[in-house]
Amino acid sequence: MTLYAKWTPLSFPSLPRSSHTLSLSHLRLSAFQSHRSPTAILFSGEESPRVPVSNELVLVDLESHKYAAIEYDDYGTGTIANTDTDTESISPPILEHIVVLKIQPDDTTPAPRVGSASVTIGTDTYIYSGRAGPDMKPLDAKLHAFSADTGRWHVVDFAPDSPSPEPRSYHALTASGSTLYLHAGCSSAGGRFNDLWAFETTSTPRRWRKLADAPGPARGGTAIVAAGRADAEWWREGPKLYRIGGFDGKNEIGGVLDIYDIREDRWSSVTHSCGKDGDEGHENNGPQGPSARSVAGLVVVDIKEKQYLIYTFGEADPSSLGHAGAGRFLEDVWAFDIEAGDWGRVEWEGETPAARGWFCAVAWEHKKVVIQGGLGSSNVRLGDWWMLQFVTRPSTAPLPATPMWDSNW
């Protein structure tokens, strides 16, 4: 199985950072907007090692990428310039299309942090823990939520007698329905977790539930995502969580995709041959798949009525300087066909993002992948934005730019 795609750089202001959080919600960034736009929500991270950036919240209207010749004020409204766009059709161009909006912190805003994780459920975007302070120890175990309805943060309360996860960093969050799932990460004592927790956001009282621990070594920098569709035969058993990669303190982890059955509270695994850097030369017989890595991106997309996991980039070898340096990063992309249960490479032509790790990736409209920021091979934080679109490719023709979901393929 091979999928074909096209990378497109998005003309948003550069926001250099790594180890930050990025989620997708729907907001009105201007009172003049007639509808909620798909909005990327960025929070904190680091531009220098172990130094959190401000805890202001940065909101980016993803739909505004269509205005390719926008000139930007400093994190303000965009103005149309040097373009054939009929400005008379944009009413009014400045107020209607705010591109980037910064929400300054107040007494409800979580502290600046690195190595946190976020996920959006409904109109709330949740973050949990992370590192901060001169010693960079994990923060407390508070669950914070930013409301798209009120534009403010609040702490999510839970029952006083509820168990709760330990504070941690470089963990992962995902959601299925109204339930948030927290997995793995690094502890304040220097160890790592392999636990899985569930938090039902709509129950009364709200409680954390500890679920079955994941197989394999404890790890940080792993990726986990929920997937499943009610109209698919293979989903009759219910939605599942998919976990891959990470770093166990000595080695990057690869060669296995772990699958958590939410209804059964049970893990299973699908193994694959894990070649060096994801190339075609594999060390073992068996199905091919991505090489070992951590701090990579994992999202779910729908392509031609099928669901795929899209696994992007990541770190193949850690730096000898630890968190102060840049390891060896990858620039490959892999797709896992959930129904068929196999991996395939994603191929493309043209421009491509630089290899990176410690970045953020989100699925947009269930069809596209947006990545932002991260740490590059030169140990410099990246601030760029890229969109991955899946396309058709006839066997005898060059890679076209037609998005797959608009084609007849």
Side-chain angles (χ1 to χ4, degrees):
M1 175 199 71
T2 301
L3 296 181
Y4 302 95
K6 176 185 178 182
W7 283 107
T8 302
L10 301 179
S11 301
F12 295 139
S14 178
L15 296 169
R17 61 189 66 197
S18 64
S19 301
H20 53 305
T21 70
L22 173 65
S23 292
L24 188 63
S25 187
H26 286 78
L27 296 157
R28 289 188 180 94
L29 299 191
S30 164
F32 293 88
Q33 282 182 301
S34 59
H35 66 284
R36 291 176 182 250
S37 296
T39 303
I41 300 179
L42 285 82
F43 185 71
S44 210
E46 61 185 0
E47 192 169 354
S48 299
R50 301 187 179 91
V51 181
V53 301
S54 168
N55 58 340
E56 64 191 4
L57 196 67
V58 183
L59 309 177
V60 179
D61 181 356
L62 293 181
E63 283 190 342
S64 64
H65 84 91
K66 66 187 70 172
Y67 303 102
I70 290 178
E71 293 180 352
Y72 299 99
D73 297 330
D74 184 21
Y75 300 108
T77 57
T79 56
I80 307 299
N82 301 322
T83 178
D84 294 331
T85 300
D86 178 10
T87 56
E88 294 298 323
S89 66
I90 304 174
S91 178
I94 296 178
L95 295 176
E96 176 73 9
H97 296 285
I98 290 181
V99 177
V100 178
L101 183 66
K102 294 168 71 175
I103 298 180
Q104 297 303 314
D106 59 20
D107 56 3
T108 69
T109 307
R113 60 196 65 202
V114 303
S116 189
S118 69
V119 68
T120 296
I121 300 175
T123 58
D124 285 344
T125 297
Y126 297 86
I127 69 165
Y128 181 84
S129 205
R131 297 186 183 190
D135 53 6
M136 290 303 289
K137 288 186 176 180
L139 294 163
D140 59 33
K142 290 181 180 178
L143 182 64
H144 299 266
F146 174 78
S147 170
D149 294 328
T150 66
R152 293 178 63 85
W153 288 96
H154 63 276
V155 174
V156 181
D157 296 324
F158 51 88
D161 62 341
S162 171
S164 62
E166 293 181 46
R168 62 193 66 199
S169 59
Y170 299 104
H171 48 292
L173 290 181
T174 190
S176 179
S178 60
T179 303
L180 174 153
Y181 294 92
L182 180 149
H183 175 57
C186 303
S187 74
S188 58
R192 287 165 177 81
F193 298 105
N194 218 12
D195 52 354
L196 179 66
W197 292 79
F199 187 83
E200 174 54 58
T201 60
T202 59
S203 65
T204 304
R206 291 183 288 253
R207 302 182 65 88
W208 284 100
R209 288 185 295 119
K210 191 176 187 305
L211 307 174
D213 288 348
R219 64 196 69 188
T222 190
I224 194 168
V225 69
R229 272 206 326 250
D231 60 345
E233 288 289 326
W234 49 265
W235 196 53
R236 287 181 176 178
E237 298 176 358
K240 294 179 174 62
L241 308 183
Y242 295 81
R243 189 277 300 267
I244 189 170
F247 183 71
D248 65 9
K250 294 182 179 179
N251 299 298
E252 314 288 345
I253 300 169
V256 60
L257 174 69
D258 299 303
I259 304 170
Y260 176 75
D261 188 310
I262 293 175
R263 291 182 180 176
E264 299 293 330
D265 188 28
R266 184 178 62 218
W267 289 87
S268 61
S269 300
V270 176
T271 59
H272 61 266
S273 181
C274 190
K276 193 67 173 176
D277 296 351
D279 60 22
E280 301 301 333
H282 289 264
E283 301 168 358
N284 305 304
N285 294 326
Q288 299 177 355
S291 59
R293 66 192 71 194
S294 65
V295 292
L298 181 69
V299 304
V300 179
V301 298
D302 295 330
I303 303 174
K304 200 186 175 187
E305 300 180 352
K306 297 181 72 173
Q307 280 199 326
Y308 293 84
L309 307 179
I310 304 299
Y311 195 37
T312 55
F313 303 169
E315 184 178 70
D317 291 305
S319 168
S320 60
L321 300 176
H323 195 67
R328 186 167 58 86
F329 297 123
L330 303 171
E331 57 183 0
D332 56 344
V333 178
W334 288 81
F336 182 79
D337 183 329
I338 294 177
E339 183 177 4
D342 58 13
W343 287 99
R345 294 179 68 98
V346 176
E347 297 184 0
W348 61 82
E349 297 175 0
E351 290 185 276
T352 183
R356 67 191 67 200
W358 316 90
F359 64 102
C360 288
V362 293
W364 179 15
E365 296 176 345
H366 307 290
K367 304 169 184 175
K368 297 171 276 191
V369 181
V370 173
I371 69 167
Q372 197 282 325
L375 182 63
S377 300
S378 60
N379 201 24
V380 173
R381 268 69 189 176
L382 305 169
D384 52 351
W385 298 76
W386 290 80
M387 176 174 63
L388 183 68
Q389 296 173 289
F390 296 91
V391 300
T392 63
R393 185 184 185 185
S395 59
T396 59
L399 184 66
T402 305
M404 178 176 289
W405 56 92
D406 289 338
S407 72
N408 295 320
W409 180 72

